[in-house]
Amino acid sequence: MPEPELHYFCKPSALRPATHVIDFITAQELLADEPACQTLWELVSTQFRTRSKFLAVWAGARFVALHRDADGRADGFLLVNAPVNWQIDYVVVAPTARGQGVASALVLETANQAFLRGVPYVMLTSKASLRPLYEACGFVPVTAAETLAPAAPAGSTGSYRTLTPKG
């Protein structure tokens, strides 16, 4: 049985320090870095085995959070789909860089960039086993029935729901 997924959101409200230097670049800037593109493709191909999903997600990717090792080689990536609110897709770290806080730094820098750019919410969907990582970065899990609908305007009789974090 596949591991259940949780939906998370974060409303960036302050800058938070990351333990690693993260480059936050446009998707177009990443495409200009052939070695980094090759590494990203290899990681996605070997860790997710969902190349067709990755290609569908890539079409909407606007930003990439990128970590480089001491030799300057890319070893961690996070894709951001950014129509209004930001959707995090594909947090992926090379096996040699795991356990060093790279994933946390990628997520924190993305939330920091969202805060600096006035993005209302950052959202993602991930396996339940990664809950400690995302909660440590300020994300809150929500149930599928909950929405990020705006608060009801004063005097409104419309149907609005408030967002309640999952415990």
Side-chain angles (χ1 to χ4, degrees):
M1 175 179 279
E3 182 179 353
E5 290 189 330
L6 293 176
H7 303 282
Y8 302 84
F9 87 98
C10 172
K11 184 174 183 179
S13 58
L15 295 177
R16 297 178 61 187
T19 57
H20 295 276
V21 174
I22 302 297
D23 294 327
F24 197 80
I25 61 176
T26 66
Q28 291 301 316
E29 289 172 305
L30 178 70
L31 290 175
D33 184 344
E34 183 66 31
C37 287
Q38 181 67 33
T39 300
L40 174 59
W41 184 252
E42 289 170 3
L43 289 172
V44 167
S45 297
T46 58
Q47 292 184 29
F48 289 96
R49 295 181 177 81
T50 55
R51 289 176 287 212
S52 61
K53 180 181 175 189
F54 172 80
L55 292 172
V57 166
W58 178 256
R62 301 261 308 272
F63 300 104
V64 178
L66 173 66
H67 178 265
R68 295 182 184 276
D69 66 15
D71 295 324
R73 291 184 299 260
D75 65 359
F77 302 86
L78 178 154
L79 302 182
V80 176
N81 189 313
V84 174
N85 294 309
W86 286 6
Q87 171 70 37
I88 290 176
D89 291 306
Y90 286 97
V91 178
V92 59
V93 176
T96 56
R98 290 192 187 143
Q100 300 173 29
V102 172
S104 295
L106 291 165
V107 174
L108 284 170
E109 183 58 26
T110 299
N112 286 343
Q113 290 294 322
F115 173 73
L116 291 170
R117 297 165 194 242
V119 174
Y121 294 101
V122 180
M123 299 165 285
L124 63 93
T125 301
S126 183
K127 295 176 181 177
S129 62
L130 295 173
R131 185 174 181 168
L133 163 69
Y134 295 117
E135 286 184 347
C137 293
F139 284 76
V140 178
V142 295
T143 64
E146 295 165 329
T147 65
L148 294 175
S156 171
T157 58
S159 174
Y160 289 85
R161 296 166 70 177
T162 57
L163 182 64
T164 306
K166 183 176 182 179

